[in-house]
């Protein structure tokens, strides 16, 4: 990772992204807590997360829009717009204003897809192909590190200074990112591509995913794993309560251990990509979730710590393998559409999985469901591994 950080252009991008990712990490949980505080309803608080996820359905349109503009100025403008989108939060006063929080959450979700698609294209322009895995590994390491402290920091800041001030801090993060990235030298523009009619342009990302064998296999295999991986979001509470006999707040300890695993996975992911390739790294990340889930089927604290640590390692391996594969196997003019379409294809099974897990845990033993996750993710990882070449 030191090699890519020696590049002045990537170092500057890294500083800007550190500011925006910090803002992202503190905002999401804080918005849900704010709704809970205003309404007293757990369901309405959970609906805040759904409002953020819902815009994923617009991903193909977002990707088409992103690919029509130069990467760096578009990324700067998107950060500025995101900062402006947070301003309605200053008008929230009581439970009657919850719709404003939902509106901002939905617009923020749309902005998240836009920034992710633009970032994939910008990294592809700035970084040589041989350093893409390192660049993605650095960003995943930081993202996993922020998962350790960001949500807790956001909750603490909300309790200390309130939602309005928190919105202000988020705005500062996105404005800082815009200011720093605007100082990047203008990269060489990609060669012009043939423009098609807009319906064809809109579906170009999905067609590329379906037509490129490595990407097709990666998304199909990862999608199969995602159909069950989201169960763990609800099952972990049953594991702590029924299995370990501890207070639900103990979930926070397990999440912290998982974050440590995420840091380790992010640090080693470039080396894994160099050794196994992008699809092999993705396969390893998905497969590692299998033994972690199987271990959680047996309630033992020491085994539980090892399991969540392993689950944490698996996530950045999965993300670095997938993102690097997209950037390497996609023409520069299509990266935005392909990245956005990938986000939509992945988020659909994940959202379904989270909802299904919340329902199933009320009817089935959590140990059986963890065993199901373990078997399914091992099978998905095996399918991906067979296509690693």
């Amino acid at each position: 990772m030191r090699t890519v950080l020696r590049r002045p252009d990537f170092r500057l991008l890294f500083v800007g992204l550190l500011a925006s990712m910090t803002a992202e990490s503190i905002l999401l949980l804080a918005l849900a807590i704010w709704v809970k505080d205003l309404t007293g309803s757990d369901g309405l608080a959970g609906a805040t997360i759904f409002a953020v996820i819902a815009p994923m359905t617009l991903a193909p349109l977002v990707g088409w829009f992103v690919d029509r503009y130069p990467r760096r100025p578009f990324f700067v403008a998107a950060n500025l717009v995101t900062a402006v989108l947070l301003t309605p939060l200053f008008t929230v006063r009581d439970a009657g204003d919850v719709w404003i929080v939902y509106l901002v959450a939905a617009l923020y979700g749309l902005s998240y897809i836009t920034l992710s698609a633009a970032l994939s294209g910008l990294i592809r322009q700035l970084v040589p192909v041989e350093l893409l895995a390192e660049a993605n590994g650095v960003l995943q390491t930081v993202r996993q590190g922020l998962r350790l402290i960001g949500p807790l920091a956001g909750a603490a800041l909300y309790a200390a200074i309130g939602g309005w001030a928190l919105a202000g801090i988020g705005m500062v993060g996105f404005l800082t990112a815009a200011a720093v990235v605007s100082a990047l030298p203008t990269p060489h523009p990609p060669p012009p591509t043939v423009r098609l009619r807009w319906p064809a342009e809109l579906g170009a990302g999905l067609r590329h995913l379906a037509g490129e064998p490595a990407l097709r296999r990666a998304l199909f295999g990862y999608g199969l794993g995602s159909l069950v991986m989201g169960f763990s979001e609800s099952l972990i509470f049953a594991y702590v309560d029924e299995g370990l006999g501890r207070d639900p707040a103990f979930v926070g300890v397990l999440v912290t251990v998982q974050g440590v695993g995420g840091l380790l996975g992010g640090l080693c992911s470039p080396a894994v990509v160099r050794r196994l390739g992008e699809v092999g790294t993705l396969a390893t990340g998905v497969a590692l979730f299998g033994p972690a889930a199987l271990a959680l089927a047996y309630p033992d604290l020491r085994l539980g710590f090892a399991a969540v640590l392993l689950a944490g390692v698996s996530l950045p391996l999965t993300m670095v393998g997938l993102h690097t594969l997209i950037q390497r196997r996609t023409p520069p003019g299509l990266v935005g559409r392909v990245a956005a379409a990938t986000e939509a294809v992945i988020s659909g099974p994940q959202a379904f999985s989270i909802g299904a897990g919340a329902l199933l845990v009320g009817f089935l033993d959590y140990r059986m469901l963890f065993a199901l996750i373990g078997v399914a993710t091992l099978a998905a990882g095996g399918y991906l591994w067979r296509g690693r070449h």
Side-chain angles (χ1 to χ4, degrees):
M1 292 187 184
R2 289 192 297 268
T3 304
V4 75
L5 285 172
R6 289 194 190 106
R7 296 177 59 88
D9 50 0
F10 184 79
R11 243 188 351 257
L12 201 58
L13 176 64
F14 175 77
V15 172
L17 290 175
L18 184 60
S20 63
M21 286 193 292
T22 301
E24 290 171 5
S25 67
I26 67 173
L27 273 175
L28 185 58
L29 181 61
L31 289 177
I33 293 173
W34 197 354
V35 171
K36 166 70 174 175
D37 196 26
L38 289 171
T39 65
S41 168
D42 292 327
L44 291 177
T48 310
I49 309 300
F50 177 77
V52 174
I53 296 173
M56 293 293 178
T57 56
L58 299 175
L61 179 61
V62 170
W64 170 73
F65 187 71
V66 168
D67 279 339
R68 295 181 66 83
Y69 298 96
R71 306 298 185 190
R72 182 183 62 83
F74 185 91
F75 189 76
V76 170
N79 274 282
L80 293 173
V81 170
T82 303
V84 173
L85 292 177
L86 298 178
T87 55
L89 293 175
F90 293 109
T91 66
V92 176
R93 293 289 184 272
D94 52 38
D97 296 325
V98 167
W99 68 271
I100 298 176
V101 182
Y102 287 152
L103 176 63
V104 171
L107 292 173
Y108 173 70
L110 187 62
S111 165
Y112 179 83
I113 308 170
T114 305
L115 287 170
S116 295
L119 177 61
S120 290
L122 185 57
I123 291 174
R124 181 67 182 82
Q125 276 191 342
L126 288 178
V127 179
V129 171
E130 63 272 14
L131 292 180
L132 285 174
E134 284 198 27
N136 290 319
V138 168
L139 298 182
Q140 278 297 318
T141 301
V142 173
R143 194 175 293 279
Q144 294 303 316
L146 289 173
R147 285 186 67 186
L148 280 171
I149 59 174
L152 292 176
L157 285 170
Y158 173 78
I161 59 179
W164 304 332
L166 198 61
I169 292 173
M171 291 177 66
V172 169
F174 290 111
L175 291 173
T176 301
V180 172
V181 175
S182 67
L184 277 172
T186 303
H188 295 297
T193 57
V194 177
R195 292 288 182 188
L196 307 174
R197 292 185 178 182
W198 75 265
E201 291 279 351
L202 201 59
L206 289 171
R207 286 199 304 277
H208 182 72
L209 288 174
E212 217 289 332
L215 288 173
R216 184 173 63 242
R217 191 176 190 95
L219 282 185
F220 185 70
Y222 185 33
L224 288 177
S226 296
L227 281 172
V228 295
M229 290 168 76
F231 289 0
S232 60
E233 299 289 342
S234 299
L235 297 184
I236 195 66
F237 289 96
Y239 172 80
V240 168
D241 180 21
E242 300 173 27
L244 300 180
R246 291 177 176 265
D247 188 270
F250 191 73
V251 171
V253 177
L254 297 180
V255 170
T256 300
V257 176
Q258 182 181 352
V260 173
L263 285 174
L264 295 174
L267 289 170
C268 72
S269 55
V272 178
V273 170
R274 284 194 296 271
R275 186 171 184 82
L276 301 179
E278 295 88 357
V279 180
T281 303
L282 174 61
T284 303
V286 173
L288 283 178
F289 206 86
L294 291 173
L296 290 172
Y298 181 77
D300 177 83
L301 186 56
R302 288 169 297 183
L303 197 58
F305 279 147
V308 296
L309 186 72
L310 189 59
V313 171
S314 75
L315 182 60
L317 291 178
T318 301
M319 291 295 99
V320 171
L322 182 61
H323 290 162
T324 307
L325 180 67
I326 289 169
Q327 290 160 350
R328 287 195 184 195
R329 297 294 186 102
T330 305
L334 266 180
V335 170
R337 275 165 286 182
V338 172
T342 301
E343 195 76 40
V345 170
I346 291 172
S347 298
Q350 284 179 339
F352 171 81
S353 176
I354 293 170
L359 291 174
L360 290 173
V361 74
F363 300 99
L364 300 174
D365 190 295
Y366 77 91
R367 291 169 294 186
M368 185 172 68
L369 291 172
F370 268 129
L372 173 63
I373 295 172
V375 172
T377 49
L378 283 172
Y383 169 79
L384 288 166
W385 183 258
R386 288 193 297 274
R388 66 191 184 280
H389 297 305

